[in-house]
Amino acid sequence: MTSITVQQLTVGPLATHCYILHDPQRHEALVIDPGAEAERISATISGRVTAILLTHAHFDHIHGVNALAEATGAPVWLHPADAHMLGLTRVDHWITPGQQWRLGDLWLTAQPTPGHTPGMVSFVGAEVAFVGDTIFAGGPGRTWCPPDFQTTLHTLREVVLRWPDALICHPGHGPSFRLGAIRAQIEAFVHRAWPADFYGDAEWPRA
């Protein structure tokens, strides 16, 4: 069991979750998806911020990045496939698959989980995953065209369903959940005969 604490702050007009991970022994922190209210996020942080990690570049996940990076001096990381959505938001480093960050005894690994955006990344540890808008308790992230939805189905089959049941998933919106609690619903979802032109919002089948 890791000694790292996970704090969730819900920020901005779309109720986006920003996650602050604290290492109380080393007085260090990681911040994931500072979507808004940078001053509130900064006031919550205890210790030096070693990195700001972005699951993707939709505005509700990145609007607080510049102010928080300036206040903390922490480098900002994003997958380059979402670079076209950044606008004036700063990024210092591009994420590569398998890249890792350490906070105390917690290691987070970048696993690309595209679909909702081309550069969506989940940050996966031994017991927890920060999944952005990849999956929610009730369904996958919204898609914007049929190819995006097909990409989501591939991500579910080849990435998400390979995670362990005990993994606690912390999404960009809504409640956190244990993957095993919705595995059967995800499996039913990916095996459904979807129309070739389907995209948009979708829900897991009811258990």
Side-chain angles (χ1 to χ4, degrees), residues 20-129:
I20 304 170
L21 285 62
H22 286 113
D23 176 3
Q25 297 179 344
R26 295 172 178 81
H27 302 290
E28 293 181 337
L30 283 172
V31 178
I32 299 174
D33 287 358
E37 304 178 47
E39 289 186 7
R40 179 179 164 218
I41 295 169
S42 184
T44 306
I45 296 168
S46 174
R48 180 177 70 93
V49 179
T50 59
I52 298 170
L53 307 181
L54 305 179
T55 60
H56 65 297
H58 278 161
F59 80 94
D60 60 314
H61 292 255
I62 68 171
H63 189 67
V65 165
N66 287 358
L68 186 66
E70 173 131 359
T72 63
V76 181
W77 295 78
L78 175 76
H79 192 285
D82 275 6
H84 63 288
M85 295 187 285
L86 279 171
L88 297 177
T89 300
R90 79 177 251 190
V91 166
D92 300 297
H93 303 290
W94 299 120
I95 293 171
T96 56
Q99 192 157 4
Q100 293 186 312
W101 295 264
R102 180 182 181 184
L103 184 68
D105 55 1
L106 173 68
W107 288 88
L108 291 178
T109 301
Q111 294 191 17
T113 49
H116 182 67
T117 72
M120 176 71 67
V121 170
S122 294
F123 302 105
V124 183
E127 300 173 348
V128 296

